[in-house]
Amino acid sequence: MSTFDLPRRVAAEALGTGLLVATVVGSGIMAESLTHDTALALLGNTLATGAMLVVLITSLGPISGAHFNPAVSLVFCLNRTLPARDLPAYLAAQVVGGIAGTIAAHLMFALPALEVATKLRAGPAQWFSEGIATFGLVAVILAGLRFELKAVPWLVGLYITAAYWFTASTSFANPAVALARSLTDTFSGIRPLDLPGFIIAELLGALIALALMGWLLRPAIIQQPLKAEP
């Protein structure tokens, strides 16, 4: 557990989530303004997001753990890495930070501070994609913490970079980011009506990953054969 007090950890969570959302939304706006090629726009959005995750986790991880994600905070609470009393503050900071990130991105591109997204993102394939995306993210984080702590920023950044492309939903994998993206009617938006399906799938994916990795990462106890008495 971090040696930083709760106010500093909460501030780091809000700052990190805000910068992450500003990157997702802002790079989407920039990409869409530079090209009409959707694949190229998605590539620009992907590279910016993956790079920013590496930077933010490296910089703010020592303070708060760099969750920036309610699903990750919930997992760390359930495995007793994050005290239950701190969970509400983490969740509130992530949601508020995410909304602030959307506002910041809009203001940088001279758009209204907040909008209601109209981009349709619904259906079983999208929900399944979000479950897979969040499952993989949590699995990568837990395995990275177990085996290669210093590599976690790169593991997360690279995983999300890949998941943008192998999931039908472009891998939100984050309830706070999904909520923040419902407030932008730009490249990265999602209709508020579609949020419940995404958030439920993300939380289920995270919980399944916690259960599986809890078993997978637990060393087996090998019984030594009893020696015969002389």
Side-chain angles (χ1 to χ4, degrees):
M1 192 65 215
S2 170
T3 57
F4 290 84
D5 59 18
L6 183 60
R8 287 177 173 81
R9 287 187 279 128
V10 168
E13 284 297 301
L15 175 61
T17 311
L19 289 172
L20 174 59
V21 171
T23 301
V24 173
V25 175
S27 63
I29 297 169
M30 175 67 83
E32 209 169 31
S33 72
L34 294 176
T35 180
H36 296 295
D37 185 330
T38 304
L40 188 57
L42 181 61
L43 179 60
N45 195 211
T46 302
L47 295 176
T49 302
M52 182 56 80
L53 278 167
V54 174
V55 171
L56 292 175
I57 296 171
T58 302
S59 302
L60 299 176
I63 301 175
S64 68
H67 303 179
F68 314 142
N69 185 332
V72 173
S73 293
L74 175 61
V75 164
F76 284 150
C77 180
L78 291 175
N79 72 7
R80 300 182 181 180
T81 304
L82 176 71
R85 66 179 180 274
D86 295 348
L87 180 62
Y90 267 58
L91 301 185
Q94 291 157 359
V95 170
V96 171
I99 294 171
T102 296
I103 294 172
H106 282 185
L107 295 180
M108 285 191 288
F109 289 92
L111 297 175
L114 292 173
E115 302 169 329
V116 177
T118 58
K119 183 167 287 189
L120 172 66
R121 297 181 190 266
Q126 294 276 317
W127 302 328
F128 182 63
S129 292
E130 277 304 288
I132 292 294
T134 314
F135 169 86
L137 174 63
V138 171
V140 164
I141 290 170
L142 294 177
L145 291 173
R146 174 75 166 75
F147 297 119
E148 198 62 54
L149 179 60
K150 291 183 179 180
V152 169
W154 287 98
L155 294 174
V156 172
L158 290 171
Y159 174 80
I160 291 297
T161 298
Y164 255 76
W165 287 86
F166 79 76
T167 63
S169 62
T170 66
S171 185
F172 287 44
N174 186 327
V177 169
L179 175 61
R181 289 172 66 166
S182 74
L183 301 173
T184 179
D185 196 22
T186 61
F187 182 79
S188 59
I190 174 176
R191 294 187 312 170
L193 184 63
D194 301 332
L195 278 178
F198 265 57
I199 291 173
I200 291 169
E202 289 159 357
L203 294 177
L204 285 175
L207 293 175
I208 293 170
L210 173 62
L212 175 63
M213 299 306 287
W215 170 78
L216 188 62
L217 298 176
R218 188 181 305 120
I221 299 174
I222 301 174
Q223 297 281 347
Q224 295 293 334
L226 295 175
K227 292 182 178 179
E229 291 291 335

